[in-house]
Amino acid sequence: MFRPDSNCDRTDYNIILMPPDGYKLDKAIGTTYSLDLEALTAVAICLGLSEETDSKLMQNPISMLNALQKVSDKIILFCEAGQIKAPLKPTALSILLEKMVVEVALPKDRQLGRYPAFHPKTWVLSYVNKDGDKKYRFVVMSRNLTFDRSWDVSFSMDSSRMVRQKKKTKPIINFLDFLSESVSNNVKDAGKKRTLIRNMQAELADVSFSLDSKEFGENFEILPLGIGKNAYQMSEDVLFSIDRNSADSTFHELVVMSPFLSESVIADFNIAERGLSDSKRTLITRRSELNKLKEMDTENFTIYVLKDEIVDGEDAISDEMTDKMKQDIHAKIYIRRKYADVDLYLGSMNASYSAINKNVEMMLWLGTKNKYLNGEKFLKDIFCGPADDVKNPFEKVTVMDAVQDIDGDNKNALEQKIKELCRAKRKATITEDNYGKYKVTVEFPGVTSDKTIMVSPFNSKQEHTLCEKIEFTELEILQLSEFYELTAKEGEDEIHRIIMIPTIGFPEDRESAVVNSIVKDRASFVEYIAFVLGDDYLASMLEKKQIGESGIFQHSNDAMPVLYEKMLKTSVEEPERFRDIGYVLKMVTDKEIIPDEFRELYDTFCNTLKIRR
């Protein structure tokens, strides 16, 4: 169930989301704390093309365009404001991701004195087949939508007509209600986004999800935190009970796996009276978190961290010219056993005061019995055997083994500045300059000029110091976006983030310009058609340069019959693919790229078969 060295226990983010056989994506609502736009593109390929995302698809702009145009109106992805990663190589296709992304900026908590985090990592998806039958999937995980290599945990379950337990779906509906309210009026297509969420809520009202599990039966509860009156009060859960007069506070086994900690939370877990006879308590965390703890507050715990050689990962073996990525635990898992009853909690919640009491989080509770799962069995799994075995990726430590966190005060201060800027009023206006260029005026009313923060339009090298009013001139149409890059620098510390600024005045042909930047000649058009129709023969003909530059296939006598036959078959079996072709026919403006003969052929098919364009 939890073995890191087992292919059976490891899974891929995209495979979790991929539609069931015979189904395609109907709509999807996802949440993450931090977001990598390239990772969102990979998810779009998975959901739009029902294909595993490999390097070939990610490097092919034709496949990326096809996937994004299929799903850009079907996916909404919520993330923490100011936590969008700036891509190393932004492309025009990233513009199509704007439709999907909604930033969430929670107000400052007076008691906490800082901003709670929008921290859930979850998906609610619906799929539909050609007969109109729908299936639903609910996903809870600890993983953000990034390419981070840290160790995470995920869970998913599908809808079932074999069980009737609609009450257990209600927390999902409540969570979606919170997300709907988080779509502010200045978000692009706010009404459409709220409608998609409301439609999902309405459908889920009659949906039951099933574990279909021998180990857990149907013992599960969905626990959304921090969403207002319908939030689950995790601080009142038996996991956190410290009432010495309550039997709920005691346990035989407790395992806490959390990358980030609060001293008070671990101290409460450590209370001696909570442990029954021969009780065992285990804490698995990051080495950098140990400096938050005191020996007296962990004396009843055995503590483990990942070994340095595992954390270093590629860093230890890569040459200096290669990108190096460290890894650590990022999973949040809690196991509590009392006699034969076992509680398993997993999701996004760290063992920290803010996570338990203030943040927006998503957790899942699963109930089982000692014979199926307990702390000892869990530890044997993640240790890949006995704790003292050489294969164990973890090592036992004490709080005296703490290391200093590499993030300095400067970096934390810069993060705070970006959080505050994400909550400030801001807007941008586009006006057309001379000779087809554009000017963007960005306004931050009331914001004090700050030389430590630079603002830049997406995909542009122009940058200006943050101040109330900034003007960017001579911009190309493909540099116009609601994504703006912030570079915050103080001393040697520097961070890059993308924020979204409500922008008005976009030229009507901006999306067309994106498509034209990909389908820029006849060869790329034919490649697109071959990709949409799934025709390897046409694609191979393109690679061998058998396609002429005038007429559809002037120098290939057998290509037209092949194309006609493939289009005929597709029109009967998968008519929705014709809409993909129609999208490009509408967007591509250069008449030399798409021959009139092809447009006539397409119109003939649509008219004859009454395919809606």
Side-chain angles (χ1 to χ4, degrees), residues 175-392:
F175 182 66
L176 292 177
D177 196 51
F178 172 82
L179 295 181
S180 179
E181 293 176 356
S182 299
V183 181
S184 61
N185 290 331
N186 59 8
V187 170
K188 181 183 292 185
D189 297 325
K192 290 182 179 179
K193 288 180 170 61
R194 294 192 195 105
T195 297
L196 185 148
I197 297 171
R198 285 196 293 266
N199 288 343
M200 181 74 87
Q201 288 178 281
E203 293 174 19
L204 289 178
D206 197 40
V207 170
S208 295
F209 288 92
S210 174
L211 295 181
D212 191 25
S213 166
K214 178 186 73 174
E215 293 83 2
F216 298 101
E218 295 296 341
N219 295 325
F220 73 90
E221 297 292 340
I222 297 161
L223 314 175
L225 281 58
I227 62 169
K229 64 179 181 180
N230 292 316
Y232 183 76
Q233 302 303 315
M234 183 60 83
S235 60
E236 300 174 7
D237 189 274
V238 294
L239 181 64
F240 297 101
S241 174
I242 58 173
D243 184 357
R244 289 177 170 82
N245 297 318
S246 172
D248 289 338
S249 68
T250 57
F251 48 76
H252 288 93
E253 279 185 296
L254 179 69
V255 177
V256 176
M257 174 181 275
S258 177
F260 305 109
L261 308 171
S262 286
E263 177 189 349
S264 61
V265 174
I266 302 304
D268 286 346
F269 282 140
N270 188 65
I271 295 172
E273 291 83 359
R274 297 191 67 182
L276 297 173
S277 58
D278 298 322
S279 66
K280 295 181 180 180
R281 293 174 237 208
T282 305
L283 172 63
I284 304 169
T285 188
R286 295 185 173 188
R287 193 182 299 271
S288 57
E289 289 294 287
L290 298 176
N291 56 26
K292 295 181 179 179
L293 305 176
K294 297 177 182 177
E295 283 191 85
M296 61 180 293
D297 293 330
T298 58
E299 58 188 5
N300 292 313
F301 274 96
T302 303
I303 307 174
Y304 291 90
V305 299
L306 273 177
K307 294 175 179 176
D308 287 341
E309 56 264 37
I310 303 296
V311 173
D312 290 340
E314 295 174 355
D315 199 17
I317 60 174
S318 299
D319 61 58
E320 293 183 0
M321 300 302 293
T322 305
D323 288 338
K324 303 170 183 178
M325 299 180 67
K326 291 181 180 291
Q327 57 192 354
D328 210 325
I329 67 159
H330 194 251
K332 293 87 172 169
I333 301 172
Y334 306 81
I335 297 176
R336 173 186 179 271
R337 180 181 69 82
K338 186 170 183 178
Y339 298 108
D341 293 321
V342 177
D343 301 308
L344 168 64
Y345 303 78
L346 54 84
S348 66
M349 184 193 73
N350 285 295
S352 69
Y353 176 84
S354 294
I356 297 164
N357 297 280
K358 301 295 182 179
N359 292 351
V360 176
E361 308 275 0
M362 178 61 78
M363 292 293 290
L364 182 82
W365 169 83
L366 298 163
T368 187
K369 292 295 183 180
N370 181 52
K371 65 179 180 179
Y372 295 121
L373 175 68
N374 54 43
E376 183 178 349
K377 291 178 181 178
F378 171 78
L379 294 175
K380 188 175 182 180
D381 263 5
I382 64 165
F383 290 167
C384 304
D388 57 356
D389 194 289
V390 68
K391 292 189 299 182
N392 186 359

